[in-house]
């Protein structure tokens, strides 16, 4: 079932083909008539599926609705949503999370998106078996904090339910610092 982006948004996508594989490094969704002083939210998920400029996927559409349509006070001033992923390799089934599935530009895409954002939502749910990628994202957040407002999702957006889905995140409790292991 194809999913569409919510109404009244414009979408830009940054794709690349490397070594015969297709990657999506960034998806930027902006509300129509967004105020000039708008805030930006970044959502970091696991890996992209087919969402692009003309169609969404279930996870992207669910996050658009949470940030732009539900009227949640924490997102009241958000006019732009940047979607990045731990891995940039586009795959919907049998995703493995191998090193080459990260993509050569993904670390920079994640870092840039977090730096540009006022709010960051970690949206891979409570479990994440990709420890190295999780640690990379958390280290970027540590470098950017405390200037960022941080949230996490209770579960992956493709399986999300609206009530209680987005919760505050304390970076100090999310993952031990790399040098404390």
């Amino acid at each position: 079932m194809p999913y569409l982006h919510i109404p009244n948004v414009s979408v830009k996508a940054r794709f690349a083909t490397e070594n015969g594989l297709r990657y999506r490094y960034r998806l930027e969704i902006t509300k129509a008539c967004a105020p000039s002083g708008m805030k930006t939210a970044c959502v970091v998920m696991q890996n992209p599926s087919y969402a692009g400029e003309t169609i969404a996927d279930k996870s992207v559409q669910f996050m658009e609705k949470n940030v732009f349509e539900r009227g949640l006070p924490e997102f009241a001033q958000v006019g732009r949503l940047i979607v990045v992923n731990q891995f940039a390799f586009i795959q919907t089934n049998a995703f493995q999370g191998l090193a080459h599935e990260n993509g050569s530009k993904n670390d920079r895409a994640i870092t840039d998106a977090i730096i540009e954002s006022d709010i960051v939502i970690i949206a891979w749910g409570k479990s994440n078996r990709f420890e190295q990628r999780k640690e990379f994202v958390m280290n970027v957040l540590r470098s950017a904090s405390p200037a960022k407002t941080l949230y996490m999702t209770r579960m992956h957006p493709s399986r999300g339910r609206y009530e209680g889905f987005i919760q505050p995140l304390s970076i100090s409790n999310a993952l031990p610092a790399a040098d404390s292991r």
Side-chain angles (χ1 to χ4, degrees):
M1 172 182 169
Y3 290 85
L4 300 175
H5 292 287
I6 62 171
N8 301 314
V9 296
S10 62
V11 182
K12 296 178 187 174
R14 189 177 306 149
F15 291 97
T17 301
E18 300 169 16
N19 301 316
L21 298 176
R22 186 96 165 124
Y23 297 89
R24 188 187 76 211
Y25 288 111
R26 179 180 173 118
L27 195 63
E28 186 174 321
I29 304 138
T30 306
K31 283 173 51 174
C33 303
S36 60
M38 71 178 176
K39 289 186 176 182
T40 296
C42 168
V43 59
V44 184
M45 293 194 256
Q46 181 178 294
N47 73 295
S49 66
Y50 55 81
E53 293 180 356
T54 57
I55 59 170
D57 58 30
K58 185 175 183 179
S59 299
V60 168
Q61 185 192 72
F62 190 75
M63 292 309 300
E64 290 173 346
K65 288 179 179 180
N66 270 285
V67 172
F68 294 135
E69 291 186 338
R70 289 195 55 221
L72 298 172
E74 52 266 48
F75 304 122
Q77 301 301 314
V78 173
R80 181 172 71 149
L81 177 65
I82 302 170
V83 179
V84 292
N85 294 274
Q86 288 181 298
F87 297 89
F89 179 55
I90 298 170
Q91 187 172 8
T92 54
N93 297 314
F95 179 75
Q96 296 178 11
L98 303 174
H100 74 275
E101 293 173 336
N102 184 36
S104 68
K105 300 174 184 102
N106 201 37
D107 287 357
R108 182 82 257 156
I110 292 168
T111 301
D112 289 348
I114 289 172
I115 288 169
E116 291 175 44
S117 300
D118 304 290
I119 299 168
V120 179
I121 306 162
I122 301 300
W124 52 62
K126 293 207 183 251
S127 66
N128 181 341
R129 64 183 186 178
F130 306 110
E131 291 300 323
Q132 287 182 319
R133 298 305 300 155
K134 179 168 72 174
E135 185 173 343
F136 171 78
V137 171
M138 292 302 167
N139 284 334
V140 173
L141 285 173
R142 277 188 200 89
S143 297
S145 290
K148 309 294 176 187
T149 303
L150 306 177
Y151 295 98
M152 66 177 292
T153 61
R154 289 177 46 128
M155 59 194 66
H156 189 277
S158 66
R159 296 177 278 293
R161 294 188 182 96
Y162 289 113
E163 284 309 311
F165 177 71
I166 296 176
Q167 311 206 333
L169 171 66
S170 168
I171 199 71
S172 61
N173 297 331
L175 180 74
D179 58 355
S180 70
R181 290 185 185 192

